[in-house]
Amino acid sequence: NAGVTQTPKFRILKIGQSMTLQCTQDMNHNYMYWYRQDPGMGLKLIYYSVGAGITDKGEVPNGYNVSRSTTEDFPLRLELAAPSQTSVYFCASSYKPAGGQEETQYFGPGTRLLVL
Amino acid sequence: GQQLNQSPQSMFIQEGEDVSMNCTSSSIFNTWLWYKQEPGEGPVLLIALYKAGELTSNGRLTAQFGITRKDSFLNISASIPSDVGIYFCAGPSGTYKYIFGTGTRLKVLA
């Protein structure tokens, strides 16, 4: 298993440009998450999904969009990049059985985004 | 909203020393997670705690779920240079989400 993979690893955007951060997991996890981590800070939840076709906002969703058309993929879309979106973005996934407790979150290696 | 406060924010220690850090919440948790993040990598789960008072070890790491359910502690014994990194606590926020602390940055001097 590759686990959680993210592409690209690093990207520079100009203000107003758009891009999609890709996230794929091969563990058949039903839950997937997008976090951002600003320098010296913890992780802030942007969006999450509890299964294909189901997404919901986290703590800091403004300026982002997500979709979950398959179990494996959970792309994050930035439509109009702003300097405030300069950050490191982490995707994570986990498995929660029906009626059971959510298991460990596995994180990808991150995408470093710089908006100038 | 819920907040997780970690202390200390950073630590510089000598190799071989023991390390203690803690995490406090403004609300009660039924799960505590401890992660380690190395430079340029995503967080990796170290220990998960599911019961108040629970004490769990993973090698040289030991974590405890506080009796009040509002705090948790992580200890590292006999630190080595590869222990360097940022240690995060995390707890559930609602049914599907987790919140993370701001991290404790550990540097080990050989």
Side-chain angles (χ1 to χ4, degrees), chain B residues 64-79:
Chain B
Q64 184 164 22
F65 195 137
I67 296 288
T68 65
R69 296 170 63 192
K70 288 188 174 183
D71 55 11
S72 180
F73 309 90
L74 177 68
N75 295 314
I76 305 173
S77 62
S79 59

Side-chain angles (χ1 to χ4, degrees), chain A:
Chain A
N1 284 354
V4 180
T5 57
Q6 292 183 238
T7 57
K9 289 187 179 180
F10 178 68
R11 182 78 182 267
I12 300 175
L13 283 182
K14 294 182 179 178
I15 294 173
Q17 285 185 320
S18 61
M19 77 165 293
T20 299
L21 283 67
Q22 301 291 345
C23 175
T24 300
Q25 53 90 10
D26 62 359
M27 298 174 282
N28 201 31
H29 286 173
N30 46 0
Y31 286 18
M32 294 188 76
Y33 305 81
W34 272 106
Y35 295 89
R36 60 176 287 172
Q37 184 179 32
D38 298 329
M41 303 296 289
L43 298 161
K44 300 280 188 183
L45 183 65
I46 305 171
Y47 269 95
Y48 66 99
S49 168
V50 300
I54 306 170
T55 63
D56 207 348
K57 296 177 180 179
E59 186 181 356
V60 290
N62 291 345
Y64 307 94
N65 279 300
V66 293
S67 60
R68 183 93 183 273
S69 57
T70 66
T71 299
E72 294 79 18
D73 300 307
F74 191 40
L76 178 71
R77 179 82 179 160
L78 282 71
E79 291 294 348
L80 292 170
S84 61
Q85 293 179 303
T86 293
S87 190
V88 181
Y89 292 83
F90 289 102
C91 179
S93 72
S94 65
Y95 178 69
K96 183 179 185 300
Q101 193 162 23
E102 183 183 0
E103 297 174 1
T104 304
Q105 282 192 24
Y106 291 88
F107 284 80
T111 293
R112 284 148 185 78
L113 178 65
L114 178 61
V115 182
L116 300 174

Side-chain angles (χ1 to χ4, degrees), chain B residues 32-109:
Chain B
W32 281 100
L33 306 174
W34 284 95
Y35 286 86
K36 178 188 178 186
Q37 183 180 25
E38 297 187 6
E41 302 292 330
V44 175
L45 184 70
L46 298 173
I47 294 177
L49 302 163
Y50 299 108
K51 189 176 175 182
E54 180 181 355
L55 190 71
T56 298
S57 293
N58 178 5
R60 293 177 296 104
L61 279 63
T62 302
Q64 184 164 22
F65 195 137
I67 296 288
T68 65
R69 296 170 63 192
K70 288 188 174 183
D71 55 11
S72 180
F73 309 90
L74 177 68
N75 295 314
I76 305 173
S77 62
S79 59
I80 58 178
S82 61
D83 289 334
V84 68
I86 306 175
Y87 292 81
F88 290 103
C89 61
S93 173
T95 306
Y96 306 121
K97 299 174 282 186
Y98 281 87
I99 60 170
F100 286 76
T102 52
T104 292
R105 285 146 186 79
L106 178 65
K107 294 197 175 181
V108 180
L109 306 174

Side-chain angles (χ1 to χ4, degrees), chain B residues 19-35:
Chain B
V19 175
S20 292
M21 61 188 78
N22 67 74
C23 188
T24 58
S25 169
S26 56
S27 56
I28 290 174
F29 280 174
N30 56 21
T31 301
W32 281 100
L33 306 174
W34 284 95
Y35 286 86

